[in-house]
Amino acid sequence: MSLLQKNWSWLIVIVLALFPLIKIFSLISFNFEYPEFDFILFDDYELPEQLAIQKGRDIIPGIEIAIEQTGEWAIQWLMAVLMITPFKIVFGTKSNLFVRQAMGISCGVYVLLHAFFFMYHEGFFAVFSDLPLILSGISAIIIFALTITSNRRAMKLLKRHWKTLHRLVYFAAILTIAHVVLLNKDWELYSTVFCIGLIVRFGPVRQFFQTQNLKLLLLNQFKAIGSLTKIRRLS
């Protein structure tokens, strides 16, 4: 029980990261009987009637779903990692190193799966066939390097170079957003979150939030609301 109490936030990250994989891997089966077919098979997904009319097709190949969903979760985890420090600056919270590492590793796992599914479907050299894919390939290499060095042993081994390496996450985020933009996907939310994070990190803005102590102000506000509620009930 004490282990759960100490690591509850880390466990929440792990559960949140694993939950979408249940749906993704439910589309996958393995072929051990017929060598003339692919070893990994993907079930097709039948769209609801209204969505099928919008999409112009009734069925989506399972491999396309796997590629799209792993890509979406990869960028969402990337944005979540990048917002840890801005959230800490604004609200004065303490960041848990194990939670940060778990979030970074979750991002890395989804990036790895996204790359694997794409190359399994399109082939390895397809990565070099188009600019959006080249950008995503460079971003994937950076994120994979950050994932395998997200541990204390790597921090001790790399020493001051560890921070320099992990600052490349911003470059990876820019490449990832550019990849999404060039593919004509929904990019507005991701770019907005990324820009907000950069603004909060900017020196004068950071100092403003650190002096305001918004966490204390919010707590006092909630206490005031609670006191008013009690007074109204008594009256």
Side-chain angles (χ1 to χ4, degrees), residues 140-194:
I141 292 171
I142 294 172
I143 292 174
F144 181 69
L146 302 183
T147 302
I148 62 176
T149 56
S150 292
N151 54 76
R152 292 186 181 275
R153 180 176 293 182
M155 293 174 71
K156 291 180 180 179
L157 182 64
L158 296 174
K159 297 179 181 178
R160 60 186 178 88
H161 299 294
W162 187 88
K163 280 191 175 182
T164 304
L165 174 64
H166 278 252
R167 287 195 182 102
L168 288 175
V169 69
Y170 301 106
F171 183 52
I174 293 171
L175 293 177
T176 302
I177 293 172
H179 166 72
V180 175
V181 171
L182 292 173
L183 290 178
N184 294 319
K185 301 290 185 179
D186 296 331
W187 56 270
E188 293 86 354
L189 177 61
Y190 303 129
S191 59
T192 301
V193 170
F194 181 66

Side-chain angles (χ1 to χ4, degrees), residues 16-37:
L16 290 174
L18 290 176
F19 187 73
L21 293 178
I22 298 173
K23 181 180 179 181
I24 295 170
F25 280 96
S26 67
L27 301 170
I28 299 174
S29 58
F30 297 97
N31 171 31
F32 295 98
E33 299 180 4
Y34 304 101
E36 64 271 20
F37 296 107

Side-chain angles (χ1 to χ4, degrees), residues 3-47:
L3 182 64
L4 291 175
Q5 290 176 346
K6 290 180 180 179
N7 300 284
W8 64 270
S9 53
W10 179 85
L11 290 171
I12 289 174
V13 172
I14 298 300
V15 171
L16 290 174
L18 290 176
F19 187 73
L21 293 178
I22 298 173
K23 181 180 179 181
I24 295 170
F25 280 96
S26 67
L27 301 170
I28 299 174
S29 58
F30 297 97
N31 171 31
F32 295 98
E33 299 180 4
Y34 304 101
E36 64 271 20
F37 296 107
D38 291 337
F39 176 66
I40 302 177
L41 303 176
F42 293 84
D43 296 331
D44 294 337
Y45 179 74
E46 186 174 355
L47 293 172

Side-chain angles (χ1 to χ4, degrees), residues 23-24 46 97 100 106 112 114 117 136 146 151-152 169 176 189 202 205 235:
K23 181 180 179 181
I24 295 170
E46 186 174 355
L97 178 61
R100 185 189 291 265
S106 299
L112 185 63
H114 182 63
F117 289 142
S136 68
L146 302 183
N151 54 76
R152 292 186 181 275
V169 69
T176 302
L189 177 61
F202 182 61
V205 180
S235 60

